[in-house]
């Protein structure tokens, strides 16, 4: 079976090129593929007769209970015959139905064959999940087939509707499948039946499974999608909506029935939904003017009948159902083909516009009558045999079955009525309508329909041999039914019912021709309205929920996050009461001083209305933090913090020089209160957590063990520095990457292309004056900005500062300092050059690509790590080198210094890059604007 | 402090050695320990720093004069203490609004370095600060606090000239020292 | 030395408080910057005093940093202060 | 073979350093980037093979034995994530090269795209390998910092506006993460994850809950868990297509990964799994309703992204082997698929000039290849079988049904509804953008960024991902073996701890 | 009294004086009427106050390694503090934050209105 | 370990002030808020480590040292915050350059949906025949 499926898959993929190559003839070639399925099934007829199953298993995802387990039993055999046979005929038919110019026919062919393969897979799957897989594939393929002509809005919407409705059911079914599978520990249906759950669990699972089946087979209340799907090309309708896809639901009912029919929820669901569908579909079919829609509603009705019969849950009904399944597939597909021919040759399907076809197309007429008669249940056709069996089966049931029988009889009468309407509508001579002439319906075009119609006759006459085959399925029910299929059982009550049905149907048809009042009878709300309302409701819900949750406002998002923090953290705090009582006010009373400064500055920073005032106040908190670091025994931190604070101040000044001095908006009091409230809540929660967490510490910190190895293994006495460049050098490597990429980002942000800032050619800096100059390019600065004192002092201290940075770099291993601090110091030295001499001075001070500095620094740091690896150590492992040299004495060197040099260079590159961007480039923007403003003097520059 | 003197190889070397010496001194002070290793590494590091970050050569024409330096330092310290005291008193004198003045002082020696050093010295002493300079005329504009009248203004101006003189006598060249005497400061005279 | 420690702390605390008032009050950015400069000077004094008190020189590199680079922040503010161009 | 472990971080960083140096040689830059990411992929595959056979591979960085130093741990989960992320980043790189996204702006004094992209990759891989809480933070910071640069590349007005939302929210999450680390260190005195596993157990339950919720909050923001998710649809769609794609596919999953790692290793029996399940349900439903409400493809996809994070949380919250396994599988699936879809959306934008639904149309006819490139992953996303989205969902549903709790059943229902609505949402996209006749058929040609012919590299890269995503179905058996074993390994904790500390546990 | 005690007393005096100057600076900063005046107040802790405290520290630490550093700190401070003061003072004056009513004379204002002092030709040296 | 109450309070105040600024619309304020929060987190980490003298072997006895690991973490955090601040400032500048202000604006698309929600409207029907072109 895997081979067959693979053949379908390959054929589907080859179909588009094949159609391009062979044109419409390709369809006939492709028809061989489903026909192969038919042939393959026929070779197993004997096995079916003997009640043997044909099975194959291939592994897939065992952990999920997924395996490609295939199993063909009588039911599936029957379905394979139908799917393969009708599929092959439909493809042959397609070759005539489409014109060579039809766009997308290659894609169509591929999807069609793919669909046939999916249907085949669905039928032969033993693993329920694999069955679901094929189930959904048919849904998707049908979506594509219904939407074959996507320029039609109706087709698009119908396709989506069918997709959604059947997927909805499918998902429910999936859950049902999982419920059964998880309970049984296997997903093979042949094994699940032996390990079914019971009670409410089973009832729920059954409901879910039936939801899938009923929606797929367009059973009430899901019926609406099928008529809408008639937007598809007619061969599709014939195949999907007569023989194949809609039968999937019926098939599922038939498959599950023998095992699940006794579940509490099975019969009520199946019988009620089926009967309602049978009646509703038949009634609605009577109202249609479009032949295709008439057939569609007829199909709905018949599917209701099939569900009722196959789901009734006893042997005779099952046998009858199987026969009916066969009959329906043949006559309905044939009739769809006929409609297609009519549509194709006359250009209309509206029965009010059709007249005189009987005479102009007599062959068509004969074929149609044959198929229609089967549908109506006229002996000796297959439809008749099926109906008879149904009546017989239900005649002998209990009160429920009697009730159902009443429904079935009424429904069958309606079937007769719409059959007559179909024949009358398509073929009769209507006085008011000009007769249509049909030119030459080719035999090849008609052949598929004729074959199927004839099949109905053959099956009817050959009911007895069929009985032997189909009984294999019916026998799955353990009850004592003993009915046999046959054309003639004698004068039975069932025969009487058949006659009654034909008579009543004719009467109803006659009535509908003469009166109109019945047209007003409609269901108060059908599924289509339900779908529309659901879709609208979904839209409203989506808009409301999205409007409520997606406010588009950054403060709201941040506030939400913080509220969650308050709730979760606060909740944990509340749950943790009473809090531990041990605390101390301070480690050192001096901490109070910076703490007080910090609190005051922080509070006033929130209230400042001038940008720089706020910046200064925040800066003060930074300085105070640094002092707290000093008091806490963290000189490295204080050192870095002071440097960073200075850098930050410079960066703020560089940017804020261009922004207005005051904050633009004065915040509203109300929203300010909310902000403050959230702030206080967050502060309280974080404080609380900090308190509780610190007080909760029992274990000793791992860092208490750093001291000795820092010296002996890391080669440095400053443990913080050893931690940074050795113990946790990996972090530091990441951290310089962060810095580096942030610096890149600054450049990307400031230099980013923008038409307004298209750069003029860089004017050459004025040539330096002769004589004593203090800086390389101080003269390029606007005279008003220059200061000789600043220039001279910069000149005098610059090298000293750089020297100091080198000191920090090398001293850092044993004293406060290190690569970060050193790099920042050089950065600030460059800042000084820039402040004193302007942007050209910066270029002169560091005439290198900042990227090169960054890259080199990162490379050195990484190189240290990799070198250690190449030498057989771990990444970033350091080595201690000690030499005794003449004159110099003992020289002690740690290779992690190289790493620190990398850090140093990266930090320099970062500051340089920031300075190039926020300093020099913004200078240039400013200058460009000034030039532009001078060019247009009428514009006032504020 | 020449602006036109051609930089001969000798002066270039001298400048370099002076600069390096200053840097190496700084290096040694940072480490705080004299050792050959520190000296050699200091020279190396200084050389690298100077090579990586070149700046225009500063031709230092003068020479340090120990006596002048000592005099400068001594006077600076006394000024510092006195002024700090005065200003502290001023700060605590409630209800008094000190008056001040902005005074132009065109220096006699036309050198940026002298301008800078004089400015620094004046600034360091509490009560006076440089609000502007004019490089072309080597002029300092000094804000002075605690001057109540013209006489005080003139007194202060004289003190700045004295500072200038002390600085030039401490580190200036002979030519510069000669400029201090007899030559009236150029530029416009102060207004009556 | 304890008395010295307490006295110095108290004096510096008082000084810092006054400076902080100026920083908060302004009214101009330059006012605040001047005050920050003083604050930094006081910080240097405080750290040095702490070093003196504990006889621990570990924090001296911090002072080197502050003394040689602390002025850059104020210079940048002054340099880009509005209308500082002549 | 432990020497392989640091390489997925080191190689991209070396690549970044080299590309920075090669600013003036764009062709070389591209080659270096491709080489670096290909090498990373190769190493990742090797690691997966090694860990699948043996236990976790552990490296003590710098030779500092745990718990003193940082350990890098490659267990099955980490190795799997490495493989997927490396594959995806490589494909996206090819795509972006195809987009002609050279660092063309000569004015910018440094290269931006290639270094930032490589550093992003390094951050992601570092986060996967981190065996240390603070190093996990650093990994996050690396990838976030790089992402800030990438999301605002070009610095247009809308990118700045939307980028601001992204950057600020991410910064807040980083601050929360750092706070959590501070608190955890305060309470335990260690950062080593394996050691934390033991030390956190000893803390009072309420304190554990507090610490756990802070971590969950930090990661939840990054993973875009409702109600912490609203930033995502506002920020991702504006960036250039490859950036959006790699962010959508990968970055949120790093958050999910962190949740998995910390939940299983640090707080295995915590009371927070109920919170996780509720968040999962809300994320699914609110997210997919958001998708339904959108009329722009990229925004719609962003909302589906949020929604499907709910699936992963579902599995995590169940805290069973099956649930975790399903979640991990779903992560793998979703990384690939969501990336593919955003790349396809980029192609749509290129071909149609926009991603707004009411201005698109007819793409199925105009660009059939594009149709396939969108349709297959879209179905996959919607959980249509036999694609991986279905298989992941199947695993989760099985776990949910087997767990048999009230919340679990609610989530089974929520999952199904989400799946259906996802199908509805992408069905609308297909109907409108691909099927409907465009209103102005030639509007596409007018836009400067559009072209009748899609660049071959872009299509090729997208196709590769489509194939990869579809191929998951084929390898789902072995893949589920890996995820199941990874899940079991995670839930056991013992193999991880033993691998880090050797036999004696501190 | 040992040498140590003497040193401690001296150090204490230095430290307290320095702190006092800082306090005076704080007071001046708060009380002086205009910004330029306040800047004078600022100079005290920056210069003499700091020098005193550094001296006190030197007296306490009493070893070369540290004292050399203290010397450097003092020198750096003396070199850089005036530059900041000058730049700020200049910005203050140029932005007009000077209370003219408190000035006895303002010769800078005179020069600015008259176009500045005459440039002087500097004779080449050497 | 016993918590230091002064630091606990300072951390709380920094978080409170930082959040208050963070929730503003103005990007400059947001950046300042993040800076404050950064300081707060750093002090929080500091709080969780031992108090003591500088962790330099030879200067401080090992059992009197402050925790070096918290310091290494804080140092990393400080430097990262520096990078982030620079980037955010560049963003603020860019925002100002392009829009003339540095206020964070609301998302347009979200606003549109919120307006539909306020007007009790559902989805727009994009598949409206009026928006469709003529079929081939
Ligand atoms: Na020293
Ligand atoms: Na002064």
């Amino acid at each position: 079976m895997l081979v067959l499926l693979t053949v379908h898959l390959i054929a589907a993929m080859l179909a588009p090129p094949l159609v391009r190559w062979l044109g419409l003839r390709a369809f006939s070639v492709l028809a061989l593929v489903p026909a192969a399925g038919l042939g393959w099934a026929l070779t197993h007829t004997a096995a079916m007769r003997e009640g043997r199953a044909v099975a194959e298993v291939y592994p897939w995802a065992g952990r999920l209970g997924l395996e490609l387990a295939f199993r063909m039993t009588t039911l599936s055999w029957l379905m394979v015959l139908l799917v393969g046979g009708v599929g092959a005929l439909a493809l042959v038919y397609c070759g005539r139905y489409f014109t060579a110019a039809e766009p997308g026919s290659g894609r169509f062919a591929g999807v069609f064959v793919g669909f046939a393969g999916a249907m085949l897979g669905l039928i032969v799957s033993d693993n329920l999940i694999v069955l679901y897989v094929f189930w959904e594939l048919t849904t998707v393929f049908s979506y594509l087939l219904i939407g074959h002509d996507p320029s039609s809005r109706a087709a698009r919407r119908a396709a989506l509707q069918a997709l959604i409705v059947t997927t909805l059911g499918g998902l429910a079914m999936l859950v049902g499948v999982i419920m059964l599978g998880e309970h049984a520990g296997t997903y093979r249906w042949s094994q699940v039946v032996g390990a079914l759950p019971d009670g409410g669990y089973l009832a729920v699972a059954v409901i879910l499974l039936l939801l899938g089946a009923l929606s797929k087979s367009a059973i009430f209340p899901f019926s609406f999608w099928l008529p809408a799907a008639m937007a598809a090309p007619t061969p599709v309708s014939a195949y999907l909506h007569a023989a194949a896809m809609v039968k999937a639901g019926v098939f599922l009912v038939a498959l599950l029935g023998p095992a699940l029919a006794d579940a509490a929820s099975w019969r009520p669901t199946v019988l009620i939904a089926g009967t309602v569908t049978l009646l509703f579909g038949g009634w609605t079919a009577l109202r249609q003017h479009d032949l295709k829609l008439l057939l569609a509603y007829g199909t709905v009705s018949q599917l209701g009948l099939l569900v009722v019969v196959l789901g009734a849950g006893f042997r005779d009904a099952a046998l009858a159902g199987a026969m009916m399944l066969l009959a329906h597939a043949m006559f309905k597909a044939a009739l769809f083909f006929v409609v297609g021919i009519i549509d194709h040759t006359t250009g209309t399907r509206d029965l009010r516009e059709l007249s005189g076809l009987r005479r102009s197309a007599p062959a068509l007429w004969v074929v149609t009558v044959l198929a229609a008669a089967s549908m109506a249940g006229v002996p000796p056709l297959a439809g008749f045999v099926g109906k008879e069996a149904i009546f017989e089966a239900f005649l002998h049931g209990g009160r429920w079955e009697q009730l159902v029988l009443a429904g079935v009889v009424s429904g069958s009468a309606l079937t007769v009525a719409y059959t007559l309407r179909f024949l009358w509508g398509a073929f009769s001579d209507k006085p008011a309508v000009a007769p249509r002439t049909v030119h030459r319906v080719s035999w090849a075009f008609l052949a598929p329909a004729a074959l199927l119609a004839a099949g109905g006759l053959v099956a009817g006459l050959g009911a007895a041999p069929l009985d032997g085959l189909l009984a294999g399925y019916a026998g799955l029910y353990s009850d004592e039914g003993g009915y046999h299929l046959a054309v003639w059982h004698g004068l039975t009550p069932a025969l009487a019912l058949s006659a009654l049905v034909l008579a009543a149907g004719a009467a109803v048809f006659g009535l509908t021709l003469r009166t109109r009042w019945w047209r007003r009878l409609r269901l108060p709300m059908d599924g289509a309205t339900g779908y529309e309302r659901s879709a609208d409701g979904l839209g409203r819900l989506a808009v409301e929920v999205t409007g409520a949750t997606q406010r588009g406002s950054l403060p709201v998002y941040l506030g939400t996050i913080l509220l969650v923090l308050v709730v979760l953290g606060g909740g944990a705090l509340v749950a943790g009461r009473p809090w531990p009582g041990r605390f101390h006010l301070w480690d050192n009373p001096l901490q109070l001083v910076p703490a007080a400064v910090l609190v005051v500055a922080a509070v006033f920073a929130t209230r400042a209305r001038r940008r720089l005032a706020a910046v200064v106040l925040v800066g003060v908190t930074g300085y105070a933090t640094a002092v707290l670091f000093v008091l806490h025994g963290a000189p490295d931190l204080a050192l870095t913090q002071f440097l960073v604070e200075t850098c930050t101040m410079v960066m703020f000044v560089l940017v804020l020089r261009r922004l207005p001095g005051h904050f633009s908006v004065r915040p509203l009091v109300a929203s300010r209160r909310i902000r403050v409230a959230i702030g206080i809540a967050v502060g309280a929660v974080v404080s609380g957590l900090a308190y509780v967490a610190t007080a909760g510490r029992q274990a000793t910190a791992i860092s208490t063990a750093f001291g000795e190895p820092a010296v002996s293994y890391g080669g440095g006495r400053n443990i913080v520095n050893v931690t940074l460049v050795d113990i946790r050098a990996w972090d530091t490597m990441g951290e310089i990457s962060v810095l580096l990429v942030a610096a890149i980002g600054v450049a990307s942000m400031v230099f980013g292309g923008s038409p307004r800032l298209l750069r003029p050619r860089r004017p050459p800096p004025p040539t330096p004056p002769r004589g004593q100059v203090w800086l390389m390019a101080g003269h390029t600065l606007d005279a008003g900005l220059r200061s000789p004192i600043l220039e001279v002092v910069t000149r005098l201290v610059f090298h000293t500062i750089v020297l100091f940075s080198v000191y920090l770099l090398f001293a850092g291993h044993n004293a406060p300092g290190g690569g970060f601090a050193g790099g920042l110091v050089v950065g600030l030295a460059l800042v000084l050059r820039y402040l004193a001499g302007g942007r050209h001075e910066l270029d002169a001070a560091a005439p290198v690509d900042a990227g090169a500095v960054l890259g080199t620094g990162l490379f050195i740091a990484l190189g240290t790590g990799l070198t250690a690896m190449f030498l057989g150590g771990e990444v970033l492992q350091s080595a201690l080198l000690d030499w005794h040299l003449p004159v110099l004495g003992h020289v002690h060197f740690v290779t992690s210094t190289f790493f620190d040099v990398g850090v140093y260079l990266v930090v320099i590159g970062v500051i340089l890059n920031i300075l190039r961007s926020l300093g020099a480039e913004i200078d240039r923007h400013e200058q460009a604007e000034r030039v532009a403003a001078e060019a247009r003097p009428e514009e006032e520059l504020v | 402090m020449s602006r036109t003197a051609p930089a001969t190889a000798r002066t270039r070397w001298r400048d370099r050695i002076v600069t390096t010496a200053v840097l190496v001194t700084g290096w040694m002070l940072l480490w705080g320990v004299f050792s050959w290793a520190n000296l050699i590494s200091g020279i190396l590091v200084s050389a690298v720093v100077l090579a990586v970050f070149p700046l225009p050569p500063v031709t230092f024409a003068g020479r340090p004069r120990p006596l002048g330096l000592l005099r400068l330092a001594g006077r600076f310290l006394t000024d510092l203490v006195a002024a700090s005291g005065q200003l502290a008193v001023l700060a605590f004198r409630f209800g008094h609004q000190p008056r001040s003045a902005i005074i132009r002082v065109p220096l006699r020696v036309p050198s940026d370095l002298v301008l800078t050093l004089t400015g620094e010295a004046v600034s360091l002493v509490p009560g006076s600060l440089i609000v502007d300079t004019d490089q072309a005329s080597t002029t300092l504009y000094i804000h002075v606090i605690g001057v109540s009248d013209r006489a005080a203004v003139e007194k202060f101006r004289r003190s700045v000239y004295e500072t200038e003189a002390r600085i030039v006598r401490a580190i200036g060249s002979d030519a510069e020292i000669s400029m201090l005497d007899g030559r009236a400061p150029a530029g416009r005279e102060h207004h009556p | 030395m304890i008395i010295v420690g307490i006295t110095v702390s108290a004096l510096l605390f008082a000084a810092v408080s006054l400076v902080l008032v100026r920083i908060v009050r302004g009214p101009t950015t330059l006012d605040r910057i001047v005050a920050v400069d003083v604050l930094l000077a006081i910080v240097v004094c405080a750290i040095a005093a702490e070093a003196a008190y504990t006889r621990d020189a570990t924090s001296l590199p911090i002072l080197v940093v502050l003394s040689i680079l602390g002025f850059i922040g104020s210079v940048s503010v002054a340099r880009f202060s509005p209308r500082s161009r002549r | 073979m432990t020497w392989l472990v640091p390489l997925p971080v080191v190689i991209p960083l070396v690549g970044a350093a080299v590309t920075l140096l090669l600013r003036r040689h764009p062709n070389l830059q591209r080659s270096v980037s491709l080489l670096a990411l290909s090498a990373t992929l190769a190493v990742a595959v090797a690691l997966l093979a090694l860990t699948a056979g043996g236990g976790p591979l552990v490296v003590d960085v710098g030779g500092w034995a745990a718990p003193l130093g940082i350990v890098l741990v490659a267990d099955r989960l980490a190795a799997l994530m490495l493989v997927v992320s490396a594959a995806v980043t490589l494909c996206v790189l090819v795509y972006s090269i195809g987009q002609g996204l050279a660092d063309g702006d000569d004015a910018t004094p440094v290269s931006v795209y290639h270094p930032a992209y490589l550093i992003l990759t390094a951050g992601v891989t570092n986060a996967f390998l981190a065996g240390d809480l603070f190093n996990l933070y650093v990994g996050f910071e690396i990838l976030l910092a790089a992402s800030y640069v990438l999301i605002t590349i070009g610095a247009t007005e809308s990118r700045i506006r939307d980028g601001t939302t992204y950057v600020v929210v991410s910064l807040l999450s980083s601050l929360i993460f750092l706070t959590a680390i501070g608190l955890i260190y305060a309470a335990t005195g260690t950062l080593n994850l394996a050691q934390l596993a033991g030390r956190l157990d000893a803390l009072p339950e309420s304190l554990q809950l507090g610490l756990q919720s802070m971590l969950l909050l930090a990661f939840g923001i990054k993973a875009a868990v409702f109600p912490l998710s609203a930033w995502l649809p506002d920020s991702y769609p504006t960036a250039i297509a490859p950036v959006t794609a790699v962010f959508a596919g990968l970055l949120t999953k790093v958050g999910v990964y962190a949740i998995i790692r910390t939940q299983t290793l640090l707080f295995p029996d915590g009371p927070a799994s109920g919170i996780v399940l509720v968040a999962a349900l809300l994320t699914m439903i609110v997210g997919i309703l958001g998708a339904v409400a959108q009329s722009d493809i990229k925004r719609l996809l962003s909302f589906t992204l949020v929604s499907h994070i709910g699936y992963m949380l579902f599995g995590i919250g169940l805290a069973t082997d099956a649930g975790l396994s399903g979640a991990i599988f779903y992560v793998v699936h979703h990384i690939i698929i969501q990336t593919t879809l955003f790349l396809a959306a980029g192609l749509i934008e290129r071909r149609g000039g926009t991603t707004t639904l009411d201005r698109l149309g007819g793409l199925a006819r105009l660009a059939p290849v594009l149709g396939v490139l969108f349709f297959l992953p879209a179905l996959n996303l919607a959980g249509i079988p036999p694609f991986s989205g279905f298989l992941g969902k199947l695993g989760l549903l099985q776990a949910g049904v087997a767990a048999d709790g009230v919340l679990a059943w609610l989530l089974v229902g929520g999952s199904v509804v989400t799946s259906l609505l996802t199908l509805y949402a992408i069905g609308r996209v297909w109907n409108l953008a691909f099927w409907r006749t465009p209103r102005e058929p030639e509007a596409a040609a007018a836009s400067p960024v559009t072209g009748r012919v899609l660049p071959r590299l872009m299509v090729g890269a997208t196709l590769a991902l489509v194939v990869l995503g579809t191929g998951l179905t084929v390898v789902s058996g072995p893949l589920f073996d890996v995820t199941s074993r990874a899940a079991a390994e995670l839930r056991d904790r013992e193999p991880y701890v033993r691998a880090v500390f050797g036999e004696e546990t501190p | 009294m040992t040498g140590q005690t003497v040193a401690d007393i001296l150090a204490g005096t230095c430290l307290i004086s320095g702190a006092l100057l800082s306090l005076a600076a704080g007071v001046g900063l708060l009380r002086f009427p205009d910004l330029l005046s306040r800047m004078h107040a600022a100079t005290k802790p920056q210069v003499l106050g700091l020098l005193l405290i550094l001296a006190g520290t030197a007296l306490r630490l009493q070893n070369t390694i540290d004292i050399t550093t203290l010397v450097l700190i003092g020198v750096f401070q003396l070199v850089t503090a005036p530059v900041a003061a000058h730049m700020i003072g200049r910005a203050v004056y140029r932005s007009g934050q000077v209370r003219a009513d408190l000035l006895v004379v303002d010769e800078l204002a005179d020069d600015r209105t008259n176009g500045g002092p005459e440039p002087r030709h500097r004779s080449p040296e050497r | 370990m016993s918590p230091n109450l002064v630091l606990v309070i300072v951390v709380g105040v920094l978080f409170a002030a930082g959040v208050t600024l963070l929730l503003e619309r103005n990007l400059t304020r947001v950046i300042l808020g993040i800076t404050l929060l950064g300081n707060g987190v750093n002090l929080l980490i500091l709080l969780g480590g031992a108090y003591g003298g500088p962790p330099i072997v030879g200067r401080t006895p090992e059992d009197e040292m402050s925790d070096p690991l918290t310091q290494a973490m804080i140092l990393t955090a400080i430097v990262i915050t520096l990078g982030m601040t620079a980037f955010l400032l560049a963003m603020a500048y860019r925002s100002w350059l392009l829009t003339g202000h540095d206020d964070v604006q609301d998302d347009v698309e979200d606003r549109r949906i919120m307006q539909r929600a306020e007007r009790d409207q559902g989805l727009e029907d994009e598949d409206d025949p009026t928006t469709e072109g003529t079929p081939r």
Side-chain angles (χ1 to χ4, degrees), chain D residues 185 234 295 299 428 436, chain F residues 67 109-110 112 126 131:
Chain D
Y185 185 81
D234 284 359
S295 53
R299 283 182 66 90
R428 268 181 65 228
R436 181 182 53 169
Chain F
D67 191 331
E109 193 63 15
D110 289 338
R112 202 180 56 76
E126 284 98 355
T131 67

Side-chain angles (χ1 to χ4, degrees), chain A residues 608-796:
Chain A
R609 293 194 47 224
R610 275 166 180 269
R611 286 174 206 270
L612 269 176
V615 171
V616 168
L617 285 162
V618 170
V620 170
T621 68
Y623 290 134
T625 308
V627 175
L628 280 172
F629 289 152
V630 174
L631 294 175
H632 208 274
D636 277 284
L637 290 189
L639 183 68
T640 313
Q641 176 88 11
F642 278 123
L643 288 166
V644 164
E645 237 15 275
T646 309
C647 284
T648 309
M649 172 68 91
V650 172
M651 291 185 322
F652 266 105
V653 168
L654 289 177
V655 167
L656 295 189
R657 62 178 151 151
R658 298 277 278 154
L659 270 57
H662 288 77
F663 289 113
S664 50
V665 204
R666 184 126 196 228
L668 297 169
V669 179
S671 71
R672 177 171 173 82
R673 279 196 189 131
I674 296 173
R675 280 194 299 275
V676 172
I678 297 179
I680 290 173
V682 171
V685 166
V686 171
S687 284
L689 285 173
Y691 178 91
V692 176
T694 312
R697 163 89 74 86
Q698 304 295 336
T700 17
I702 49 171
S703 53
T704 49
F706 281 4
E708 192 278 324
V711 179
S712 64
Y713 190 69
R717 290 195 301 276
N718 180 357
I719 304 178
V720 174
N721 187 266
V722 173
T723 308
L724 286 170
V725 301
D726 205 331
I727 305 178
R728 298 188 69 89
W730 186 260
D731 275 349
T732 308
M733 189 188 77
E735 176 193 357
I736 57 176
S737 314
V738 171
L739 260 191
L740 182 151
V741 83
I744 292 177
V746 171
S748 152
M749 200 66 65
V750 176
F751 285 86
S754 155
R756 202 177 117 197
L757 298 168
L758 282 179
R759 55 204 51 250
R761 283 217 153 281
R762 179 178 291 197
T767 45
R770 300 179 62 231
Q772 179 65 59
V773 285
W774 299 93
L775 298 175
M776 307 287 277
H779 55 279
T780 61
L781 194 60
D782 196 10
L785 292 173
R786 290 183 72 179
S787 158
I789 295 183
L790 181 59
E791 286 182 26
V792 171
V793 170
T794 301
R795 172 65 182 85
L796 295 180

